[in-house]
Amino acid sequence: MKPALMSTDSAVLARRSFLGLGMGVGAAVALTACGSGSVAGSAAGSAGTLKFGWALPTSWDPIYSSAGWDVHDLSLVYSALTKLDAHGNAVPALASSWTYDPSGTRITFTLRPGLTFSDGSVLDAAAVKKSLDRSRTDPKSLVAAQLANVASVTAVGATGVVVQLAQADYQIPNLLAGKTGMIVSPKAFESDAASIATQPAGAGPFTLTSYIQNEKAVLKRNPGYWDAANIKLQNVEVYPLPDASTVVASLQSGQYNVAQIPGSEVAAAKAAGLDVQVISSMVVAVLDINITKAPFTDPDVALALQYAIDRQALLKVQQFGYGEVSNQPFPPGYVGHDPSSDGLYTYDPDKARALLAKAGHANGVDLEITTTAAAGLPEQLQSQLQAVGINATIQVIPLAQATEIVYVNHSEALFTDEFAGRDSAAQAFQVLFGAQGLMNPGRTTPPGLAAALAKVSATPLDSPEYPTVLRAATALAVRSMPNVFLYTVPRILARAAGVSPLPADAVVQRFEGVTVA
């Protein structure tokens, strides 16, 4: 077993369903003269700097961003056509309204008037068309698969954007609330597309003013943001995830005034006088299984894994009890959560051994756990699997190379991961279970599940049938696909005195109304 690359808690929090592309180490960018005074001035009542110990993005370009977790940073500098409310419903953002035609194959968005990008250029229907067309047609776009059902985008006047679909899809308003729908300035990508990776040009609540990769991002309030009245912070500084062993001391010293902390540090943070928020999130720990690699070519081995794992024990040790045992991608309370799947794969070592024997491995089977940090979860899994006759070795791969190894080459049989959730349920299904799903290294989807997923997209979100259709798809997915879901991972934030509570939205961390005394 190779040495771990980082401390256990830091590694667990850093790995957010990444697809890790990277830029050159040490790149430093100072961003000035952003046009039309978009980073100058302040509104009455805005004050304070939020120093956030969190994470920095793989790229500031939403179509090349390779981590689901990046959406939190990108939402600081970009706006999408819609956004999600605290309950996960699409509500207006750049678009003030939208309507579907009777067939569900055409949706018309109406933009707010007078919008501009941080570079001073006009954000109108023509700009939205160009941005969405880039997202869906750029050969290297990592969001193109999510827009495969979009046949065309048409600008109608200054504020009308018509999205024509190849087939009915009522998930589009939710889909366009995240990275997939973030609108990038055409002036920026038409003149120097590569620069967007470090110099984003969007229309979000803040504008990036300086950036040192792997060290710090400095952002200033954007008074031209469509909802600027609700942005009270004057500045935000974002830092890489703090080390678990020093995060509380760093908060006490003022290096950060808000930071994400692991469950192991909650007691220490409270003892230090810090406020702690535990926010339910869409993140779930999961094992990605490649059914084209032995021993998982036999489905009974993958099924044995489900019963061989004591999820409650994992939750207690890895999360210090924060979160919930899970057999599915959606947390309790979310419309897609299927109650009938709770407890589906209870810890049952005898059943795991019987399934292994059925697969011809009565005397045990060897497999390799691939991970980016050996300590912690992989070691606990190794111990649990050994108890049923699964002899697991641990292979540690560099975080920077994991994308190519796991998601591009599909060369590993079993990988420890975390799914960061998606704005659209259909998008989440595509990523996890689709034939081209990024977290489906086996690249197969049973026909029945494919039909169930198509039905999710074809059912209007406001239809009384939608919850039933979505939960049925969830139930089928967790029974027919090999993904091994383990436990939910809440967002745990510690705040210094003077920082007001942060909005408790499940998918994206937002900052409306947040103040720093």
Side-chain angles (χ1 to χ4, degrees), residues 276-481:
V276 176
Q277 277 185 266
V278 180
I279 301 174
S280 296
S281 79
M282 298 291 287
V283 180
V284 59
V286 61
L287 303 180
D288 299 332
I289 293 179
N290 188 338
I291 61 173
T292 69
K293 299 288 183 181
F296 298 114
T297 48
D298 189 319
D300 283 326
V301 177
L303 188 58
L305 207 65
Q306 297 276 17
Y307 293 104
I309 294 173
D310 185 345
R311 291 168 174 80
Q312 191 64 53
L314 293 180
L315 180 68
K316 181 178 180 180
V317 173
Q318 303 304 321
Q319 295 288 116
F320 278 66
Y322 290 96
E324 299 183 51
V325 164
S326 180
N327 297 297
Q328 55 185 300
F330 303 125
Y334 181 78
V335 64
H337 181 88
D338 173 46
S340 74
S341 297
D342 289 334
L344 176 64
Y345 299 116
T346 56
Y347 180 48
D348 191 338
D350 290 337
K351 189 166 186 175
R353 293 187 192 96
L355 285 164
L356 289 174
K358 180 183 175 184
H361 302 294
N363 296 321
V365 63
D366 297 331
L367 59 80
E368 189 172 70
I369 300 172
T370 301
T371 184
T372 57
L377 177 61
E379 291 179 333
Q380 193 175 5
L381 286 171
Q382 183 184 46
S383 177
Q384 290 187 358
L385 297 180
Q386 182 67 45
V388 300
I390 298 175
N391 305 307
T393 57
I394 299 174
Q395 176 192 203
V396 180
I397 59 175
L399 185 63
Q401 297 175 19
T403 292
E404 182 176 1
I405 293 170
V406 178
Y407 293 117
V408 177
N409 296 334
H410 312 134
S411 59
E412 304 304 319
L414 178 65
F415 182 65
T416 62
D417 205 351
E418 287 185 354
F419 176 58
R422 293 298 187 270
D423 303 275
S424 155
Q427 182 187 17
F429 280 131
Q430 192 278 332
V431 171
L432 290 165
F433 312 123
Q436 298 301 317
L438 300 171
M439 297 178 70
N440 179 15
R443 291 297 193 266
T444 58
T445 304
L449 179 58
L453 302 187
K455 189 174 181 180
V456 169
S457 295
T459 305
L461 296 177
D462 58 357
S463 166
E465 297 179 1
Y466 179 69
T468 301
V469 169
L470 182 55
R471 290 166 190 161
T474 300
L476 182 58
V478 299
R479 288 165 174 79
S480 61
M481 294 297 289

Side-chain angles (χ1 to χ4, degrees), residues 61 64 134 184-199 201:
D61 189 333
Y64 301 140
R134 174 178 181 254
V184 182
S185 166
K187 177 182 176 181
F189 63 73
E190 288 174 350
S191 62
D192 185 5
S195 69
I196 299 171
T198 55
Q199 302 175 54

Side-chain angles (χ1 to χ4, degrees), residues 26-356:
V29 179
L31 306 171
T32 58
C34 291
S36 72
S38 61
V39 299
S42 63
S46 65
T49 297
L50 188 77
K51 300 177 183 179
F52 206 5
W54 180 250
L56 291 170
T58 57
S59 173
W60 288 98
D61 189 333
I63 77 166
Y64 301 140
S65 156
S66 57
W69 203 242
D70 286 351
V71 69
H72 300 282
D73 290 323
L74 297 178
S75 293
L76 294 171
V77 295
Y78 293 104
S79 286
L81 291 175
T82 63
K83 68 173 185 176
L84 299 187
D85 64 14
H87 304 289
N89 302 308
V91 295
L94 293 177
S96 58
S97 63
W98 54 88
T99 57
Y100 271 95
D101 73 341
S103 69
T105 61
R106 187 173 69 247
I107 180 170
T108 300
F109 292 92
T110 301
L111 300 179
R112 301 175 188 275
L115 297 170
T116 58
F117 291 104
S118 60
D119 62 6
S121 58
V122 174
L123 198 169
D124 57 8
V128 171
K129 169 183 165 52
K130 288 182 178 181
S131 182
L132 292 179
D133 282 346
R134 174 178 181 254
S135 297
R136 68 190 188 90
T137 63
D138 187 292
K140 296 181 179 180
S141 171
L142 295 178
V143 301
Q146 311 303 328
L147 296 168
N149 193 31
V150 176
S152 65
V153 181
T154 305
V156 179
T159 60
V161 178
V162 178
V163 178
Q164 185 66 47
L165 307 172
Q167 58 190 20
D169 188 347
Y170 292 96
Q171 294 277 317
I172 295 297
N174 281 50
L175 177 68
L176 295 181
K179 287 196 296 183
T180 307
M182 289 179 177
I183 306 302
V184 182
S185 166
K187 177 182 176 181
F189 63 73
E190 288 174 350
S191 62
D192 185 5
S195 69
I196 299 171
T198 55
Q199 302 175 54
F206 299 91
T207 301
L208 187 68
T209 58
S210 70
Y211 177 51
I212 303 174
Q213 189 180 337
N214 301 323
E215 291 188 25
K216 182 180 180 180
V218 178
L219 304 101
K220 190 170 185 177
R221 181 179 178 277
N222 176 13
Y225 175 53
W226 69 268
D227 194 24
N230 286 315
I231 302 300
K232 309 302 182 183
L233 295 168
Q234 186 61 24
N235 303 287
V236 173
E237 298 175 1
V238 183
Y239 297 87
L241 185 72
D243 185 85
S245 64
T246 61
V247 62
V248 172
S250 297
L251 283 158
Q252 289 178 299
S253 70
Q255 181 179 353
Y256 317 114
N257 49 24
V258 177
Q260 186 180 13
I261 63 173
S264 60
E265 297 302 310
V266 170
K270 291 181 177 179
L274 301 170
D275 292 316
V276 176
Q277 277 185 266
V278 180
I279 301 174
S280 296
S281 79
M282 298 291 287
V283 180
V284 59
V286 61
L287 303 180
D288 299 332
I289 293 179
N290 188 338
I291 61 173
T292 69
K293 299 288 183 181
F296 298 114
T297 48
D298 189 319
D300 283 326
V301 177
L303 188 58
L305 207 65
Q306 297 276 17
Y307 293 104
I309 294 173
D310 185 345
R311 291 168 174 80
Q312 191 64 53
L314 293 180
L315 180 68
K316 181 178 180 180
V317 173
Q318 303 304 321
Q319 295 288 116
F320 278 66
Y322 290 96
E324 299 183 51
V325 164
S326 180
N327 297 297
Q328 55 185 300
F330 303 125
Y334 181 78
V335 64
H337 181 88
D338 173 46
S340 74
S341 297
D342 289 334
L344 176 64
Y345 299 116
T346 56
Y347 180 48
D348 191 338
D350 290 337
K351 189 166 186 175
R353 293 187 192 96
L355 285 164
L356 289 174

